[in-house]
Amino acid sequence: MADFQPIRVVTDMAIEARDIVRGEAHEEVPGVRVEKDGDQQIEITRVEIFNSQGAHLMGKPEGHYITLDVPGFKDRDAGVRAALVDVLSDQLKTLIPEDLAKSVLVVGLGNWNATPDALGPRVVERLLVTRHLSELVPEDVRERMRPVAAVAPGVLGTTGIETLDMIKGIVAQAHPDLVIAVDALAARSLDRLLGSVQIADTGIHPGSGVGNKRQGLSHESVGVPVTAIGVCTVVQAMSIAQEATHMLVQQLADDAKFYKILQEMGEPSQNALMEEVLGDRLGGLMVTPKEIDLLINDMADVLAEALNRALQPRLDRSEWA
Amino acid sequence: MADFQPIRVVTDMAIEARDIVRGEAHEEVPGVRVEKDGDQQIEITRVEIFNSQGAHLMGKPEGHYITLDVPGFKDRDAGVRAALVDVLSDQLKTLIPEDLAKSVLVVGLGNWNATPDALGPRVVERLLVTRHLSELVPEDVRERMRPVAAVAPGVLGTTGIETLDMIKGIVAQAHPDLVIAVDALAARSLDRLLGSVQIADTGIHPGSGVGNKRQGLSHESVGVPVTAIGVCTVVQAMSIAQEATHMLVQQLADDAKFYKILQEMGEPSQNALMEEVLGDRLGGLMVTPKEIDLLINDMADVLAEALNRALQPRLDRSEWA
Amino acid sequence: MADFQPIRVVTDMAIEARDIVRGEAHEEVPGVRVEKDGDQQIEITRVEIFNSQGAHLMGKPEGHYITLDVPGFKDRDAGVRAALVDVLSDQLKTLIPEDLAKSVLVVGLGNWNATPDALGPRVVERLLVTRHLSELVPEDVRERMRPVAAVAPGVLGTTGIETLDMIKGIVAQAHPDLVIAVDALAARSLDRLLGSVQIADTGIHPGSGVGNKRQGLSHESVGVPVTAIGVCTVVQAMSIAQEATHMLVQQLADDAKFYKILQEMGEPSQNALMEEVLGDRLGGLMVTPKEIDLLINDMADVLAEALNRALQPRLDRSEWA
Amino acid sequence: MADFQPIRVVTDMAIEARDIVRGEAHEEVPGVRVEKDGDQQIEITRVEIFNSQGAHLMGKPEGHYITLDVPGFKDRDAGVRAALVDVLSDQLKTLIPEDLAKSVLVVGLGNWNATPDALGPRVVERLLVTRHLSELVPEDVRERMRPVAAVAPGVLGTTGIETLDMIKGIVAQAHPDLVIAVDALAARSLDRLLGSVQIADTGIHPGSGVGNKRQGLSHESVGVPVTAIGVCTVVQAMSIAQEATHMLVQQLADDAKFYKILQEMGEPSQNALMEEVLGDRLGGLMVTPKEIDLLINDMADVLAEALNRALQPRLDRSEWA
């Protein structure tokens, strides 16, 4: 039986954490359940961490994590975006109270002034905000309209205030029934760069995220349930170096016996070695696609549209677009 | 003796309110004290409303209002901007506690996405934010550095949350000793468009401001003193129409007796008439200079520089620029 | 019979010029033909100036001017925008060669950094540009795809080069079969502010436009036909003052005889008087709706979509969106 | 004696090309002269390629290349920026005709909408443009003012027109005496990321640059001398992978004999191998610092200030800032 070790690598994606912890074992990670669904265009993976052992091994709190992998997103195809809006709004609907009287606060985490970290604020900017309208719209619209508020609280570096504190303060005044936090994530795999959306009912817990969010944003910390939507917008430069070496080792292993020893070293020791050798040089650097600005806008369009649809199931699209 | 009537016209500037209420009377408005200072480049006017009668007539709370009129600002001259930074930072220093341990929260009111209303957010973006740094900087810097936080909370129309509620929530978490609110104002006179800065120790009270701020932002409402810095960035289109007519009437009066009656009608009645005739057409329109985008940036540079200097008197400019 | 006087007022819109020249005459302006079409949502007016007398009176070159008046555009309704895309692309198709081998250069006139003047550059940014793709796309796409290039040449104030010279230089290198110029216009009537699109086969001829374009952009000056698409994004502050006074005079005329004389003065003399009295104060100011930034983006979306559709009739929308 | 091989690696920086071609040889690359100057804050390296053998080995045309390495630039220190402005404007002055009647066209290459490629356009935006002013300024200013024009022609992907063609067309109309092209470069070494400025009198020759510029922009192609200013804003992800492996190999070589063979393979063969293994995965990705948006703005400020000073030696700073 496999001897699972707690994850030491930093990734915001539960699906990656699971693949790393599991490695080449045949069994599932203890305390974790995984289900696959979807099609070639959009692959859906549900990871559930259902006990404390799973949480310990995965380095993430217990809860449900849904990953939508959309390898074709980077090709900027309108059809792929439309399909992602469909799937995403369906998934979100399962996490949002059906009762339209329940109000929602959407929080766009991240920094306006750093493109890969600007996803959250750009989604907020595109949302249909309704919380203040109830007295202004006709009766028939009002009863089909959920109160939605939206804020982009900025980041510690530009406000001087912990993001969590800002959100606590705003929640205390606006008292929503649910917080939905949108954030840019860091992934380990290049395949997920601008090609993967994670929805979690656990809130947001700082890890390798682009900015430094320090404290978790969760039901426990803000007092209402927190659903998190994250999109991988950067891969740390170190991941590239590590991935490069592993692929190289694997490739060479077939041909040359001198690599056996390096290979036998195993990935964790290889990574530790690289961390030591390259840490100073690669820390703070990140890898992005050349078209990052356009892709972030595409993704903000998709997320805002899916959120509007999931939050306002009884409004017609022409009422918000 | 003059029979002063409470102001009926909407203006955010105390100096304009005073000129309107006073009209052509020789006495000062009761409950109001006015002092002039400065030079041709920057004219300084201090208006003090010192009792409830003054507050009633002026339509503004008791307190001190300092106006800096800088007619040459629109010419985009670097020398004028430098002079304004000097005067403004000196004036601000008188309103900020000398004790560097007293923390300040700067609030940039207004809407990022509407140029004339974006002044507040743009000032915030340029500020030296230090509240989170105290553990990161060397001892010798720390003791010369005031904790400053800065937020741009957005506007009701884009967040769904009353701005005052947002600020209350943030103040409750960050507990600053002073709030400085930066806002775009509406003036009545074209001369003040991007050429006038008002500093008030009374906070911000909704009036003809660009956005709709509804509730006042004041010591009373947020629990700490609120200093307001406002710059006139728009004049309502209606003001143009009114000013046009008044100037016309005045001009024609010399030549033609048929205007006497219109002239005798007096400005208030003329304005009421115009409000009735033109209200529907001109409401929601505003007048701005062509170079508004550049001028707003110039002014944001000046305000941020003056604030940095006033807030951090013991830091060298090279430590924040 | 009416005694038509050449226009002295500055307007970029042929339809306004015609209304001003015609005044209250019952006959049409000599050398001008007008046809109305469309419905309440989008009113279509075709003005043809067909001889030199018409050109002289109207202050515009001979040619065809189509105006689409969309009073509801400012309400930001998705249905209205979609309807405008339909009508606009149909009108544009009549002015673009059917032969897909004929190439088009779209020129976005105006200044990125001044919101009301940024329409042209923002349309260019949203266009499907294909001129460089012919060797990269599959055969079946290539033969359905017109070569389209797009540039935003900036304005004299930021480049130091006359816009017309820039375009001449680019046309000489790219040799398109047609130039389509997109520009922000100044109108006289508030009703047309962000609510009126003019298409002309005469190119662009400087007038009261937002920026200073000096020389005309026309078949004659660049060597290929020039179709112009203009949207009214500002009204000069002076127009407001004039309109205000005229409305006032009209309103008062019913009640008071003293206005008779002013009324008898007629609009032209009233305007001249106001120009004299107010010219210094109002010059350089413009009137815009509060939501100008959003409305400019809405309009850029509409224009780009209509252009893409008219330029690429055989490409599917999913191939460019 | 060393057996120099023509460079096969793509880099826009002459100094890197020289280091790669030279490798560990003791002699200088034939046809190349190198001089070092400057201090720890700003290291100046002059590379001269003085014959065709040098050009062949270096993969770059004959001419002068000055590199300013500023390792501290990324720390965002105002003092370092001021020092760089000093050094850079002095270096530029040696390449700009002293005669103020000689006009200059500054071309900002790159794409507004892709942050690391937006350096050129952002410099252009900050420049003092004077070519159109000569008739507007007083006599005494005019004779101290060089005619300067500035354009940001966009990139092939957004205009459909080869950038070189655009520039040829504009030069033909504006006939400047000198073109200065500002561009974002790709470097191989992470040390040069946002920390290195290259000035060359050879124009710009496509290589691994961020965008695809295809044809060279040079005296030969546009008919007037072309000075190029380039700043390294990206390192290709592949460079990271290669650098990572080389450092690893070097590190391990001391300990383990199995690496000897890999080491003996030499860098070129290692790189070719990695290109084969990783090319598909890493192509199109780039590595940037997290604060890229801020650093690009800092650098645009520095370049514009240095250019203004070098272009307008007789204007006072207050006349342009």
Side-chain angles (χ1 to χ4, degrees):
Chain A
M1 194 193 141
D3 174 25
F4 293 102
Q5 299 295 320
I7 194 164
R8 277 177 301 185
V9 168
V10 176
T11 171
D12 289 330
M13 314 271 311
I15 192 175
E16 289 194 336
R18 180 263 190 172
D19 289 348
I20 292 165
V21 174
R22 191 179 180 221
E24 292 172 26
H26 291 287
E27 306 99 291
E28 189 48 79
V29 176
V32 173
R33 242 190 304 272
V34 175
E35 257 174 68
K36 298 221 173 246
D37 196 355
D39 52 27
Q40 278 198 316
Q41 201 175 40
I42 303 178
E43 197 178 337
I44 305 174
T45 312
R46 287 185 191 80
V47 174
E48 187 189 353
I49 305 181
F50 61 85
N51 67 23
S52 61
Q53 188 190 5
H56 175 65
L57 290 170
M58 298 276 282
K60 309 209 164 300
E62 296 178 41
H64 299 81
Y65 302 82
I66 304 169
T67 302
L68 310 181
D69 283 318
V70 200
F73 191 85
K74 279 195 285 286
D75 302 335
R76 309 203 63 219
D77 180 280
V80 171
R81 286 201 295 274
L84 181 54
V85 169
D86 288 344
V87 174
L88 192 51
S89 57
D90 284 349
Q91 298 292 336
L92 286 170
K93 274 177 196 163
T94 68
L95 295 165
I96 294 170
E98 269 192 54
D99 179 357
L100 290 178
K102 299 285 186 189
S103 69
V104 172
L105 170 66
V106 179
V107 177
L109 297 169
N111 186 348
W112 279 105
N113 296 318
T115 308
D117 200 27
L119 180 70
R122 292 199 194 166
V123 169
V124 156
E125 191 182 39
R126 288 155 165 86
L127 271 190
L128 179 68
V129 171
T130 55
R131 184 174 174 276
H132 58 306
L133 296 179
S134 62
E135 283 154 38
L136 304 169
V137 296
E139 177 72 24
D140 79 296
V141 174
R142 194 185 322 152
E143 61 190 23
R144 294 182 291 118
M145 193 174 80
R146 181 194 307 278
V148 172
V151 294
V155 294
L156 179 61
T158 61
T159 63
I161 301 170
E162 287 285 351
T163 306
L164 177 59
D165 289 339
M166 293 268 269
I167 297 169
K168 275 184 193 169
I170 296 165
V171 165
Q173 292 285 333
H175 34 79
D177 295 296
L178 172 69
V179 166
I180 298 181
V182 181
D183 200 8
L185 305 179
R188 258 180 68 80
S189 164
L190 290 174
D191 294 329
R192 294 217 156 78
L193 198 49
L194 266 309
S196 224
V197 181
Q198 174 177 279
I199 309 170
D201 61 5
T202 57
I204 286 189
H205 297 269
S208 62
V210 178
N212 197 339
K213 283 118 208 170
R214 307 256 177 104
Q215 299 173 265
L217 173 61
S218 62
H219 194 147
E220 203 184 344
S221 63
V222 298
V224 294
V226 179
T227 292
I229 306 177
V231 175
C232 170
T233 65
V234 297
V235 167
Q236 293 185 342
M238 178 58 84
S239 301
I240 298 288
Q242 293 173 347
E243 187 167 342
T245 315
H246 303 322
M247 289 186 75
L248 211 59
V249 166
Q250 206 163 7
Q251 173 79 7
L252 290 171
D254 302 335
D255 318 330
K257 60 184 177 226
F258 358 90
Y259 278 90
K260 235 185 231 159
I261 293 160
L262 180 60
Q263 203 179 0
E264 279 164 2
M265 218 172 161
E267 264 197 50
S269 307
Q270 283 175 28
N271 286 348
L273 180 66
M274 271 183 283
E275 198 77 47
E276 195 191 310
V277 178
L278 297 169
D280 280 356
R281 284 183 69 67
L282 298 187
L285 296 176
M286 51 185 200
V287 176
T288 60
K290 269 187 207 160
E291 320 76 5
I292 177 80
D293 303 67
L294 296 170
L295 292 171
I296 290 280
N297 280 337
D298 284 354
M299 190 55 93
D301 286 340
V302 164
L303 262 51
E305 177 90 20
L307 275 166
N308 283 339
R309 216 191 277 177
L311 289 167
Q312 306 290 3
R314 297 187 55 207
L315 291 185
D316 191 75
R317 191 181 184 282
S318 74
E319 290 177 290
W320 76 67
Chain B
M1 192 191 143
D3 173 25
F4 292 103
Q5 298 296 319
I7 193 163
R8 277 176 303 183
V9 169
V10 176
T11 171
D12 289 330
M13 313 271 313
I15 191 176
E16 289 194 336
R18 179 263 190 172
D19 289 348
I20 293 165
V21 174
R22 190 177 181 224
E24 293 171 26
H26 291 289
E27 307 99 290
E28 188 48 77
V29 176
V32 173
R33 244 192 300 272
V34 175
E35 259 176 66
K36 298 223 174 244
D37 196 358
D39 53 28
Q40 277 199 319
Q41 201 175 43
I42 303 178
E43 196 178 339
I44 305 174
T45 312
R46 287 184 191 81
V47 174
E48 186 187 355
I49 304 180
F50 62 86
N51 67 23
S52 61
Q53 187 189 5
H56 174 66
L57 290 170
M58 298 276 283
K60 309 212 162 299
E62 296 178 42
H64 300 80
Y65 302 83
I66 304 169
T67 301
L68 311 180
D69 282 318
V70 199
F73 191 84
K74 278 195 284 289
D75 302 334
R76 310 204 61 217
D77 180 281
V80 171
R81 286 200 296 275
L84 181 54
V85 169
D86 287 346
V87 174
L88 192 51
S89 58
D90 284 349
Q91 298 293 336
L92 287 169
K93 273 178 198 163
T94 67
L95 295 166
I96 294 170
E98 269 191 53
D99 179 357
L100 289 179
K102 299 284 186 189
S103 69
V104 173
L105 170 66
V106 180
V107 177
L109 297 170
N111 186 349
W112 280 106
N113 295 317
T115 308
D117 200 28
L119 179 70
R122 291 200 193 165
V123 169
V124 156
E125 192 181 40
R126 288 157 165 86
L127 272 190
L128 178 68
V129 171
T130 54
R131 185 175 173 276
H132 58 308
L133 296 180
S134 62
E135 282 155 37
L136 303 170
V137 296
E139 177 72 24
D140 78 296
V141 174
R142 193 183 325 152
E143 61 190 24
R144 294 183 292 117
M145 193 174 78
R146 181 195 307 277
V148 173
V151 295
V155 293
L156 178 61
T158 62
T159 64
I161 300 171
E162 287 286 351
T163 305
L164 177 59
D165 288 340
M166 294 269 269
I167 296 168
K168 276 183 191 167
I170 295 165
V171 165
Q173 291 285 332
H175 34 81
D177 295 297
L178 171 70
V179 167
I180 298 180
V182 181
D183 200 8
L185 305 180
R188 258 180 68 81
S189 164
L190 290 174
D191 295 328
R192 295 217 155 78
L193 199 48
L194 267 308
S196 222
V197 181
Q198 175 177 280
I199 309 170
D201 61 4
T202 58
I204 286 189
H205 296 270
S208 62
V210 179
N212 198 336
K213 282 117 207 170
R214 306 254 178 104
Q215 299 172 266
L217 171 62
S218 61
H219 194 148
E220 203 184 345
S221 64
V222 298
V224 294
V226 179
T227 292
I229 306 177
V231 175
C232 170
T233 65
V234 297
V235 167
Q236 293 185 342
M238 178 58 82
S239 301
I240 298 289
Q242 293 173 346
E243 188 167 342
T245 314
H246 302 321
M247 288 183 76
L248 211 59
V249 167
Q250 208 163 6
Q251 173 78 10
L252 290 171
D254 304 335
D255 319 328
K257 60 183 174 227
F258 359 91
Y259 279 91
K260 233 184 230 160
I261 292 161
L262 179 61
Q263 203 179 359
E264 278 163 4
M265 217 174 162
E267 263 196 52
S269 308
Q270 283 175 28
N271 286 347
L273 179 67
M274 270 184 283
E275 198 77 46
E276 194 192 310
V277 178
L278 297 169
D280 280 355
R281 285 183 68 68
L282 299 186
L285 296 176
M286 49 185 201
V287 176
T288 60
K290 272 191 206 157
E291 322 75 7
I292 176 83
D293 304 66
L294 296 170
L295 291 171
I296 290 281
N297 280 337
D298 284 353
M299 190 55 92
D301 286 341
V302 165
L303 262 51
E305 177 90 20
L307 275 166
N308 284 339
R309 215 191 278 178
L311 289 167
Q312 307 291 1
R314 295 186 55 208
L315 291 186
D316 190 75
R317 193 184 182 280
S318 74
E319 291 177 288
W320 76 67
Chain C
M1 193 192 142
D3 174 25
F4 292 103
Q5 299 295 320
I7 193 164
R8 278 177 300 185
V9 169
V10 177
T11 171
D12 289 330
M13 314 271 310
I15 193 176
E16 289 193 336
R18 179 263 190 171
D19 289 349
I20 292 165
V21 174
R22 192 176 180 224
E24 293 173 26
H26 292 288
E27 305 99 293
E28 189 49 78
V29 176
V32 173
R33 243 189 303 272
V34 175
E35 259 175 66
K36 298 222 174 243
D37 197 357
D39 52 26
Q40 278 198 318
Q41 200 174 42
I42 303 179
E43 195 178 340
I44 304 175
T45 311
R46 287 184 192 81
V47 174
E48 186 187 356
I49 304 181
F50 61 86
N51 66 23
S52 60
Q53 189 190 3
H56 175 66
L57 290 170
M58 297 275 284
K60 308 212 164 296
E62 295 178 42
H64 300 81
Y65 302 83
I66 305 169
T67 302
L68 311 180
D69 283 318
V70 200
F73 191 85
K74 279 194 283 287
D75 302 335
R76 309 203 61 218
D77 180 280
V80 172
R81 286 201 296 274
L84 181 54
V85 169
D86 287 345
V87 174
L88 191 52
S89 58
D90 285 348
Q91 298 293 336
L92 287 168
K93 273 178 197 163
T94 67
L95 295 166
I96 294 170
E98 270 191 51
D99 180 358
L100 289 178
K102 299 285 185 189
S103 68
V104 172
L105 171 66
V106 180
V107 177
L109 297 170
N111 185 349
W112 279 106
N113 296 319
T115 309
D117 201 26
L119 180 70
R122 291 198 193 167
V123 169
V124 156
E125 192 181 39
R126 287 155 165 87
L127 271 191
L128 178 69
V129 171
T130 55
R131 186 176 172 275
H132 59 306
L133 296 179
S134 62
E135 281 154 39
L136 303 169
V137 296
E139 177 71 23
D140 78 297
V141 174
R142 194 184 322 153
E143 60 189 26
R144 294 184 290 118
M145 193 175 80
R146 182 194 306 277
V148 173
V151 294
V155 294
L156 179 61
T158 62
T159 64
I161 300 171
E162 286 285 351
T163 306
L164 177 59
D165 290 339
M166 294 268 269
I167 296 169
K168 275 184 193 168
I170 295 164
V171 166
Q173 292 285 332
H175 34 81
D177 295 296
L178 173 69
V179 166
I180 298 180
V182 181
D183 200 7
L185 305 181
R188 257 181 69 79
S189 164
L190 290 174
D191 294 328
R192 295 220 154 77
L193 200 49
L194 265 309
S196 221
V197 181
Q198 175 177 277
I199 309 170
D201 61 4
T202 58
I204 285 188
H205 297 270
S208 61
V210 179
N212 197 338
K213 283 114 205 174
R214 307 256 176 102
Q215 299 173 266
L217 172 61
S218 62
H219 195 148
E220 203 183 344
S221 64
V222 298
V224 295
V226 178
T227 292
I229 306 177
V231 175
C232 171
T233 64
V234 297
V235 167
Q236 294 186 341
M238 178 57 82
S239 301
I240 298 289
Q242 293 173 348
E243 189 168 340
T245 314
H246 303 321
M247 288 183 76
L248 211 60
V249 165
Q250 209 163 6
Q251 173 79 8
L252 291 171
D254 302 335
D255 319 330
K257 60 181 177 234
F258 352 92
Y259 276 90
K260 235 187 229 158
I261 291 159
L262 180 61
Q263 201 179 2
E264 278 164 2
M265 218 173 162
E267 263 197 52
S269 307
Q270 283 175 26
N271 287 347
L273 181 67
M274 270 184 283
E275 198 76 48
E276 196 192 310
V277 178
L278 298 168
D280 280 356
R281 284 183 69 68
L282 298 185
L285 297 176
M286 49 184 201
V287 176
T288 60
K290 270 189 205 158
E291 322 76 2
I292 178 81
D293 304 66
L294 296 170
L295 292 171
I296 290 280
N297 280 338
D298 284 354
M299 190 55 93
D301 286 340
V302 165
L303 262 50
E305 178 90 18
L307 274 166
N308 284 339
R309 215 192 278 179
L311 289 166
Q312 307 290 2
R314 297 186 55 207
L315 291 185
D316 191 76
R317 192 182 183 281
S318 73
E319 292 177 288
W320 76 67
Chain D
M1 192 194 145
D3 174 24
F4 292 104
Q5 298 295 320
I7 194 164
R8 277 177 301 184
V9 169
V10 175
T11 171
D12 289 330
M13 314 269 314
I15 192 175
E16 290 194 336
R18 180 264 191 170
D19 289 349
I20 293 164
V21 173
R22 191 176 180 225
E24 294 172 23
H26 292 288
E27 305 100 292
E28 188 48 79
V29 176
V32 172
R33 243 191 301 272
V34 174
E35 260 176 64
K36 298 219 174 249
D37 197 357
D39 52 27
Q40 278 198 316
Q41 199 175 43
I42 303 179
E43 195 178 339
I44 304 174
T45 312
R46 287 184 191 80
V47 174
E48 186 187 355
I49 305 181
F50 61 86
N51 67 22
S52 61
Q53 189 190 4
H56 175 66
L57 290 170
M58 298 274 284
K60 309 211 163 300
E62 297 179 41
H64 299 80
Y65 302 83
I66 304 169
T67 302
L68 310 180
D69 283 319
V70 200
F73 191 85
K74 279 195 283 287
D75 303 335
R76 310 204 62 220
D77 179 281
V80 171
R81 286 201 296 275
L84 182 54
V85 169
D86 287 346
V87 174
L88 191 52
S89 59
D90 285 349
Q91 297 294 335
L92 286 170
K93 273 178 196 163
T94 68
L95 295 166
I96 294 171
E98 270 191 52
D99 179 358
L100 289 178
K102 299 285 184 189
S103 70
V104 172
L105 171 65
V106 179
V107 177
L109 297 170
N111 187 349
W112 280 106
N113 296 317
T115 309
D117 201 27
L119 180 69
R122 291 199 194 166
V123 169
V124 156
E125 193 181 40
R126 288 157 164 86
L127 270 190
L128 178 68
V129 171
T130 55
R131 185 175 173 275
H132 58 306
L133 296 180
S134 62
E135 283 154 36
L136 303 170
V137 296
E139 177 72 25
D140 77 297
V141 173
R142 193 183 325 151
E143 61 189 23
R144 294 183 291 117
M145 192 175 78
R146 181 193 308 276
V148 172
V151 294
V155 295
L156 179 61
T158 60
T159 64
I161 301 171
E162 287 286 350
T163 305
L164 177 58
D165 289 340
M166 293 268 269
I167 296 168
K168 275 183 193 169
I170 295 165
V171 165
Q173 292 286 331
H175 34 80
D177 296 295
L178 172 69
V179 166
I180 298 180
V182 181
D183 201 8
L185 305 180
R188 258 180 69 79
S189 164
L190 290 174
D191 294 329
R192 295 217 155 79
L193 200 48
L194 265 309
S196 222
V197 181
Q198 175 177 278
I199 309 169
D201 61 5
T202 58
I204 286 188
H205 296 270
S208 62
V210 179
N212 197 338
K213 282 117 206 168
R214 305 257 177 103
Q215 299 172 265
L217 173 60
S218 62
H219 195 149
E220 203 184 346
S221 64
V222 298
V224 295
V226 179
T227 292
I229 305 177
V231 175
C232 171
T233 65
V234 297
V235 167
Q236 294 185 341
M238 177 59 81
S239 300
I240 298 288
Q242 293 173 348
E243 187 168 342
T245 314
H246 302 321
M247 288 184 75
L248 211 60
V249 166
Q250 209 164 4
Q251 173 79 8
L252 290 172
D254 303 336
D255 318 331
K257 62 182 174 227
F258 355 91
Y259 277 90
K260 232 186 230 158
I261 291 160
L262 181 61
Q263 200 178 5
E264 278 164 3
M265 218 172 161
E267 261 197 52
S269 307
Q270 283 175 26
N271 286 348
L273 180 66
M274 271 184 282
E275 197 77 47
E276 196 191 310
V277 178
L278 298 169
D280 280 357
R281 285 181 69 67
L282 299 186
L285 296 177
M286 49 184 203
V287 176
T288 61
K290 270 190 206 158
E291 321 76 4
I292 177 82
D293 303 66
L294 295 171
L295 291 171
I296 290 280
N297 279 338
D298 284 355
M299 190 55 92
D301 285 341
V302 165
L303 262 51
E305 177 91 19
L307 274 166
N308 283 340
R309 215 191 278 177
L311 288 167
Q312 306 291 3
R314 296 186 55 208
L315 291 186
D316 191 76
R317 193 182 183 281
S318 74
E319 291 176 290
W320 76 68

